[in-house]
Amino acid sequence: MTSVTYAVVFSGQLIDGFQVISVKAHMAKLLKADLNKMTMLFSGKPVVIKRTADKAEALKWGSALKKIGAAVRIKVIKKKPASVNT
């Protein structure tokens, strides 16, 4: 059996029409992030904001972040359980 984890990933990109200062302010509030975390989020490197086994929860987070202008994507991470030798 394969277990699935959903990751909400942000790479510092914005949705067209949004201003970076506004997106940063809304993300800081939503994520309860300090200046160091915000710097990391907007570094241009992919950062996992939320990891969950619940697809609905991942979509909810993705939708909320897109609504404030963050161009996030939902990535599916499949893990195969380790085989047990008997």
Side-chain angles (χ1 to χ4, degrees), residues 1-56:
M1 184 170 153
T2 302
S3 65
V4 175
T5 301
Y6 301 91
V8 180
V9 181
F10 179 65
S11 299
Q13 302 298 314
L14 305 182
I15 294 173
D16 288 340
F18 286 88
Q19 300 295 318
V20 69
I21 191 78
S22 173
V23 175
K24 280 185 176 182
H26 284 97
M27 282 185 75
K29 185 176 179 181
L30 182 67
L31 302 174
K32 298 176 182 138
D34 61 12
L35 181 60
N36 289 335
K37 181 157 186 167
M38 292 307 296
T39 300
M40 182 181 72
L41 287 172
F42 283 86
S43 69
K45 296 178 183 175
V47 177
V48 175
I49 293 177
K50 180 73 174 173
R51 201 180 303 258
T52 180
D54 184 2
K55 183 178 182 178

